[in-house]
Amino acid sequence: MEQDPREKIFNGCFNEGTDGWFSDDRTPVSAVDGKLRADVPGGTTNPWEAIIGQNDILLQQGRPYTLSFSASASRPVRVRVRVQPGEPPFDPAPLTQDVDLGPEQSYTFTFTSGLDTDRGQVVFQIGGNSEAWVFDVDDVSLIGGDPLPPYVPDTGPRVRVNQVGYLPSGPKRATVVTDSPEPIPWQVNNSAGVAVAAGASTPRGPDASSGQQVHTVDFSAVTQPGTGYTLSADGETSYPFDISATIYDQLRSDALHFFYIQRSGIAIEDALAPGYARPPGHLGAPPNHGDTSVPCQPGTGDYELDVHGGWYDAGDQGKYVVNGGIATHQLLSQHERTQTVTGANPDPLGDGSLRIPEHGNGVPDILDEARWELEFLLRMQVPADQPLAGMAHHKIHDEKWTGLPLSPDQDGEVRLLHPPSTAATLNLAATAAKGARLYAPFDQDFAARCLTAARTAWTAAQAHPANLASPTDATGGGAYDDDQVTDEFYWAAAELFITTGEQPYLDALRASPYWTGEAFPPDGFSWQQVAAVGRIDLATVPNTLPDADRAAARASVQAAADQYLATARDQAYGMPLTQDEYEWGSNSVILNKLAVIATAFDLTGDQRYRDGVLEGLDYLFGRNALNQSYVTGYGAHHSHNQHSRLYGHQLNPALPAPPAGSIAGGPNTGLEDPKAKRLLLDYTVKPPKRPEPQFCYVDDIQSWSTNEVAINWNSALAWIISFAADQ
Ligand code: 9MR
């Protein structure tokens, strides 16, 4: 059916399953034959005790509306339909209508809105019956008010630069959106408005990831440090930028400070994080039901574990071993790089460098921060006297999804341990093995504890090589499922071998398909594809691999870096991402490819790699189709409404926005949340059309699939910014 431009309901025909609709916990809903079906429980007294509805409905005061739907009931019942405010006390409601249901029938009601809100609700209150029944509803439509204005992002000037700036000795490129078929003149002005360089652009034709006609500009010849430079071309002037050797220094610290603020199980101190102070989350104090004695999911184990601590994963407050694993690895690697690479500066990561409570304990602060998570990962290991001893539980999170915003100490949901998985167990083995060698100079006991846990986990994973996390276990938390764990085996074997030098781990490496196989996926490594991180460590960290094997590992890093650089060269916006790779967390895909390119630079000193990393960063700081810096607090136009229960400023001005240095997930062509769909899909055509890949992003707190924060994304940012700041 053609959508009326004044339509206020999203997915009212249920062509997209139950997307956009909520129900209460006791009323399961599903999309059946293009309708929504609810199995309504019996034994309730009030209509609102069973409920289905949609949030974020735009209602304008004094405007007429028409609500229509078709519905049926498996036996005659009376239900109540309401259009109401989205928050308690849910009154005054512009429409309250009792409806007698039976065989399928269409219903139409008109009303005038007394409310002015973009957070209205349409609800079907279907409780109040002693016996269970089945409710079917379809073609839900609310027409009225003014047509929804099409969402037009603020893309600023058509001249796109790195809004933070450029290193004096680094490449300096920009992208100009213009239809001109011929080169156009450009000019760089300093802050006094004096022209310091000029030239002509290079036409690049149509750009596949943005759908735009673009030119590139190269002003690398400008090397004089200064603030407030601008680039002008085609009658437009870019946002200002700096040229400075220190542009990434503060971000090196901020990107890591994010982890302190995401900590679970500790009070966040205002003195360390002004504006972010909060009581400890999930330490067993009511209303929390976690995380000090957390039971297993029903039917999966008869014990409880103390799994307090660690970092909250993202905008949710779950804790997932596979994502905690890669994030911990990247922090540990950031530290380890300072020990293996000449020119990598340990001081900005050392004791006293970060804003954390462990100052002055003689341990590099970055190791203190990583240990906060590593201790949690160790707690997730199944005790020796239980079935699957030595494995790691896949995750712990709320039984049901919680709303936004939510301070973790106020979370009243039951939290459960989800079954152990091979992938989680190998993440524990890999990170604990790496921790064993890195903490040894500072805390022998902890290092020994790590190594024992890593060995135990490795043995347990070998005994249970195919315990896969369920892809459907995604209520109240993410699934983080992975049906391929040979890469996790390879990574864990690599870390255990590097730390111990023992033959069985080398044998396991040799037996792995990754020993000679491609470890670097075309779309970069990730929490799910981890062979690359094992390979990078074999190539960079001192170990006892035979020389030829070590040389092969190094050559493979370089070959992957060459491939990623070739991708970047094809992009008029300069980043190593093809138009098909704008997936969930696409910014981290770029960052992780940049880490491979950076490692090639560390190994070879070849400037092409260093320049490729720096140019790739330009995209993340504003040289892109949206003119958007994806890092909070950095650049003239930066993301600041990321999806998070902690940083709820967009919903409640009394709450903080994400802290400076938080990176957003980035454009995602899947548009996997209702907000992104409603704003970005063009419903005037069938099937609804999404914008070009680079435009599949919205800086809105409700768009979790394009605009969330996450520990594995900030760990990727922190690693690469440390590299860039070292240059
Ligand atoms: O980063 C994850 C991405 O690769 C997946 O496609 C997506 C959907 O399963 O989940 C992402 O991870 C989210 C997790 O499931 C729950 N916490 C927030 C994570 C970041 O969005």
Side-chain angles (χ1 to χ4, degrees), residues 492-523:
E495 299 301 344
L496 279 157
F497 172 68
I498 294 169
T499 298
T500 67
E502 290 169 12
Q503 190 64 33
Y505 302 120
L506 182 56
D507 293 343
L509 281 175
R510 286 191 198 281
S512 165
Y514 290 102
W515 178 247
T516 52
E518 179 56 81
F520 298 93
D523 60 345

Side-chain angles (χ1 to χ4, degrees), residues 86-107:
E87 289 106 19
F90 305 106
D91 274 313
L95 177 73
T96 301
Q97 182 72 48
D98 286 342
V99 180
D100 290 314
L101 297 181
E104 182 167 351
Q105 196 187 318
S106 296
Y107 301 86

